[in-house]
């Protein structure tokens, strides 16, 4: 296990989420693909963040005022208009359809390079309290390593 690098254990079949998707669509995507998180890309495929089921749960468990604020922020940035509070309150009942991935994603993407040692990958994940880390090359995601990947390596090493 000490000689393995990130590129040796990463899953190169990375599923991406798009920042403009509704939160409801994202939840369906996660369920259909049987994944719990994904890197987020903009329409030009630029890597802009990361989102997970935890972000969805946190959003869904917000109170009405927080959802109204999220909707207000979205519509002000998208259209430059301020909406009437009655409209915002009405729409907040379906906030998962009216708010986007961009509003719940984390802007900071924690990544490693392909030649990062597995032990360093573990340290990065532990220090950042995350369950997945992306393997990047020149800003492009080439793979993902999850805690399950690391447990598999450990179990197969016989240590």
């Amino acid at each position: 296990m000490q000689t393995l690098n990130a590129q040796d254990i990463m899953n190169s079949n990375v599923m991406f989420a798009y920042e403009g998707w509704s939160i409801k669509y994202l939840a369906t995507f996660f369920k259909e693909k049987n994944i719990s998180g994904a890197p987020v890309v903009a329409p030009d495929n630029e890597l802009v963040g990361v989102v997970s089921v935890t972000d969805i749960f946190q959003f869904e468990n917000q109170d009405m005022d927080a959802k109204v604020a999220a909707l207000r922020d979205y519509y002000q940035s998208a259209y430059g208009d301020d909406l009437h509070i009655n409209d915002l309150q009405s729409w907040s009942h379906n906030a998962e359809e009216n708010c986007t991935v961009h509003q719940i994603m984390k802007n900071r993407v924690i990544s490693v390079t392909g030649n990062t040692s597995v032990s360093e990958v573990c340290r990065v994940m532990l220090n950042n309290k995350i369950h997945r880390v992306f393997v990047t090359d020149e800003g492009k995601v080439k793979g993902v390593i999850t805690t399950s990947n690391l447990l598999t390596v450990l179990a197969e090493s016989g240590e």
Side-chain angles (χ1 to χ4, degrees), residues 12 42 44 47 50 78 84 94 144 152 154:
S12 58
D44 63 359
L47 183 62
V50 63
H84 193 274
N94 295 315
V144 61
T152 299
L154 184 60

Side-chain angles (χ1 to χ4, degrees), residues 66-80:
K67 289 182 180 180
V68 165
L71 283 166
R72 177 179 287 126
D73 291 346
Y74 172 71
Y75 280 96
Q76 282 179 340
S77 67
Y79 303 108

